[in-house]
Amino acid sequence: MRFIAELLVGGIVLFGALLGALSAFGLIRLPDVYLRSHAATKSATLGVLFVLGGTFLYFLLFMDHLSIKLLLGIVFVFITGPVAGHLNGRAAYRSGVAMWKHSVQDDLGPALKKEQTQADQAN
């Protein structure tokens, strides 16, 4: 039983490390800031969650130690990672950073124009 638990914990940590590597690959290869932000946010956040989750399981199963600090770290990364990625993308869009020339959808553009026209009508 111990061997299976070791394999499970090792697999979880390894999967998290692979997701982190995939995130780094996405940061290098993707063409614009929005796609890079997406790659960094999704895979890096999930990778860190898997590594911290595997570490939590290791301490719980093999050291008989319930780590509240690791649980808080997992919750903190789970909440702040996607929010930070969203805000970075939104700030880049509002500051005029161009989208990739082959992008097919721009959901924020019409919403910002509508917001601007409502603000102009209010004034």
Side-chain angles (χ1 to χ4, degrees), residues 14-112:
L14 181 63
F15 185 66
L18 289 174
L19 283 173
L22 181 66
S23 175
F25 184 72
L27 286 174
I28 293 169
R29 297 288 300 164
L30 292 173
D32 71 348
V33 69
Y34 307 105
L35 295 173
R36 289 177 184 157
S37 176
H38 177 77
T41 301
K42 302 294 183 198
S43 57
T45 300
L46 194 58
V48 169
L49 289 176
F50 271 100
V51 170
L52 289 177
T55 306
F56 176 77
L57 286 176
Y58 175 80
F59 282 126
L60 184 64
L61 297 175
F62 299 111
M63 303 272 185
D64 295 326
H65 176 71
L66 181 68
S67 177
I68 300 300
K69 289 180 184 178
L70 277 172
L71 284 177
L72 288 173
I74 290 169
V75 169
F76 182 74
V77 168
F78 184 72
I79 292 171
T80 60
V83 172
H86 173 77
L87 291 177
N88 284 336
R90 192 171 175 96
Y93 191 89
R94 285 183 175 258
S95 65
V97 176
M99 295 176 74
W100 182 41
K101 63 183 175 183
H102 297 296
S103 293
V104 294
Q105 189 170 353
D106 181 8
D107 290 336
L108 194 54
L112 287 178

